Amino acid sequence: MSSAIQIHAGRKAYAHLREHGLRAQDVAIIPAAAGGPKGLILQALDQWIFGEWLPTAPRERTLIGASIGAWRMAAASHADPVAAFQRLGDLYCEQRYPEKPSALYVTREIQNLLHDFIGGHEAEIVNQPLHRLHLLAVRGRGLLSAPKSVSKAKAGFVAATFANLASRSRLAKHMDRVVVGDARDPLFWLKAKFDGFDTHFCPLKTDNLGWSLLASGTLPLIMEPVAHIPHTPSGTYWDGGIIDYHLALPYSRVAGSKDGDLVLYPHFTDHIVPGWLDKPLPWRRAGMGVNREWLDNVVMVSPSPSFLKTLSRGKLPDRKDFFYYGTNHDFRIQNWKLAISESGRMRDDFAAFVEKPNLDLVQALNF
């Protein structure tokens, strides 16, 4: 029977797997991509990684995510991550919208979702003994700094899209990266400038956790932008995935750490797209350009093509399902939950790889 997962590894990570296998003690960083409902397919894998495997080798670890990835890493930072991932999945599946919801309607639904997800757990998330949680958001510049109407916001994103076609450095003239994160984590590998974006590092606290999670998942033009996050620069905030869709970050800078330096990346696809606006640009893939060494120490696990074929409609749950199923919410919810239940096969195959690594299953990530 074919495996439900595929594994990709960078140069250094492959050498490490060959010598040591995949050990919990060597995992230093866990990124989590934006991507909406696609992230649901990782639920059983997330529950096993954070609920069973990593606790066998306690150490400080950096958890960093954007949009649904930020929400997943918040779930991982609960005192009971298994229950938190279950709650997040259930709440996400149960979203119900009228045929043409307003931005205000969608925003309030997401606020309610996040309240039910983290309400009463803020302190345990922010003060997690070992995990160092970092949430990514985008702060607008120029036309996007404080748009007074939907039409002005649209104009700002049109300008940003054309700028991004030229280069990501030009996109940086339209928005900044904001990292709201655990001040206990020095995050040296991220704080030294590595791309054209201005990056603001702000402390994660109980009074800005909810706002930061909301901003990190605020879809442009579909939701109302977040106008204020405590302990962050004033401005207008949107989805962190616009800049950091799949988190193409300089992970190799942590190489040489005495405690191990692997990046374990549970992902829903087999490639890394830097920004949301880069999705239609196949030449912009992490591991292909001048910064390909950034992925040297990354081990990425994702659903295999054969696994995807077994899912409803032969694909991951995604945001287009809201339109495909329309107001037939029960049918969509049923199919999404069926997909989540199938994620147990990914968990089992990954656990088997950890127990007995088979390098025949490992493909090159950037070499």
Side-chain angles (χ1 to χ4, degrees):
M1 185 175 178
S2 58
S3 177
I5 61 171
Q6 52 186 339
I7 298 174
H8 292 77
R11 293 176 184 270
K12 181 181 174 67
Y14 186 87
H16 185 99
L17 293 176
R18 188 172 58 235
E19 183 174 356
H20 303 291
L22 185 55
R23 305 179 302 191
Q25 69 201 57
D26 296 323
V27 176
I29 299 172
I30 301 181
K38 296 182 182 118
L40 298 176
I41 203 61
L42 300 170
Q43 179 175 290
L45 184 60
D46 284 337
Q47 288 173 314
W48 184 80
I49 288 173
F50 290 102
E52 297 185 39
W53 183 50
L54 292 183
T56 65
R59 57 166 288 183
E60 290 187 11
R61 294 185 174 92
T62 296
L63 277 52
I64 184 166
S67 199
I68 186 68
W71 301 0
R72 286 175 47 227
M73 293 302 94
S77 298
H78 278 70
D80 185 348
V82 174
F85 279 114
Q86 183 68 49
R87 187 166 64 253
L88 174 60
D90 290 345
L91 289 167
Y92 200 102
C93 286
E94 292 288 345
Q95 293 178 78
R96 295 170 184 262
Y97 297 99
E99 190 170 344
K100 293 183 178 179
S102 67
L104 178 60
Y105 187 100
V106 178
T107 300
R108 286 178 174 170
E109 286 295 302
I110 297 301
Q111 286 177 313
N112 291 335
L113 184 159
L114 290 172
H115 177 269
D116 292 342
F117 170 42
I118 66 165
H121 299 275
E122 293 87 351
E124 70 189 60
I125 295 169
V126 171
N127 300 310
Q128 218 280 351
L130 294 174
H131 295 165
R132 305 295 181 247
L133 177 62
H134 302 275
L135 313 174
L136 293 165
V138 160
R139 176 176 174 262
R141 300 178 64 171
L143 293 175
L144 294 175
S145 61
K148 301 299 183 184
S149 65
V150 173
S151 60
K152 290 185 177 180
K154 285 181 179 178
F157 280 108
V158 168
T161 300
F162 280 106
N164 187 70
L165 280 173
S167 70
R168 273 174 62 81
S169 61
R170 293 196 182 184
L171 178 63
K173 298 181 184 299
H174 297 265
M175 55 191 66
D176 296 340
R177 174 188 291 114
V178 178
V179 183
V180 185
D182 194 323
R184 296 172 295 179
D185 189 348
L187 215 64
F188 67 89
W189 62 274
L190 196 61
K191 287 185 176 177
K193 195 170 180 64
F194 62 90
D195 63 9
F197 294 95
D198 287 340
T199 302
H200 306 272
F201 293 88
C202 312
L204 180 65
K205 297 178 180 289
T206 55
D207 63 347
N208 69 2
L209 173 63
W211 288 110
S212 299
L213 290 171
L214 177 63
S216 189
T218 291
L219 300 171
L221 309 178
I222 294 176
M223 296 171 62
E224 293 190 333
V226 175
H228 174 67
I229 303 175
H231 317 297
T232 68
S234 61
T236 304
Y237 289 84
W238 280 279
D239 197 303
I242 303 171
I243 292 177
D244 296 303
Y245 186 48
H246 291 170
L247 282 70
L249 303 174
Y251 303 110
S252 59
R253 288 178 173 179
V254 304
S257 168
K258 65 180 179 180
D259 294 321
D261 55 13
L262 289 185
V263 177
L264 177 64
Y265 193 168
H267 197 11
F268 48 75
T269 189
D270 62 358
H271 55 272
I272 297 175
V273 180
W276 189 83
L277 296 171
D278 299 320
K279 288 196 296 181
L281 312 178
W283 58 91
R284 292 219 191 133
R285 296 288 185 270
M288 294 174 58
V290 295
N291 296 319
R292 62 191 303 168
E293 77 282 354
W294 286 359
L295 306 182
D296 277 354
N297 57 335
V298 174
V299 177
M300 187 170 75
V301 54
S302 59
S304 67
S306 60
F307 172 80
L308 294 176
K309 289 178 182 177
T310 68
L311 299 180
S312 176
R313 301 181 62 209
K315 68 171 189 63
L316 296 173
D318 62 37
R319 199 168 286 114
K320 293 179 182 177
D321 289 345
F322 283 113
F323 302 98
Y324 178 82
Y325 294 102
T327 55
N328 192 348
H329 307 297
D330 291 339
F331 192 26
R332 172 185 54 78
I333 292 167
Q334 178 186 29
N335 282 333
W336 280 11
K337 290 190 173 181
L338 281 172
I340 290 175
S341 69
E342 289 298 305
S343 69
R345 292 162 48 203
M346 294 180 60
R347 172 202 60 215
D348 294 344
D349 287 348
F350 182 68
F353 178 84
V354 168
E355 179 69 24
K356 188 177 181 180
N358 178 3
L359 293 188
D360 290 340
L361 297 176
V362 183
Q363 305 173 58
L365 183 58
N366 65 335
F367 62 99

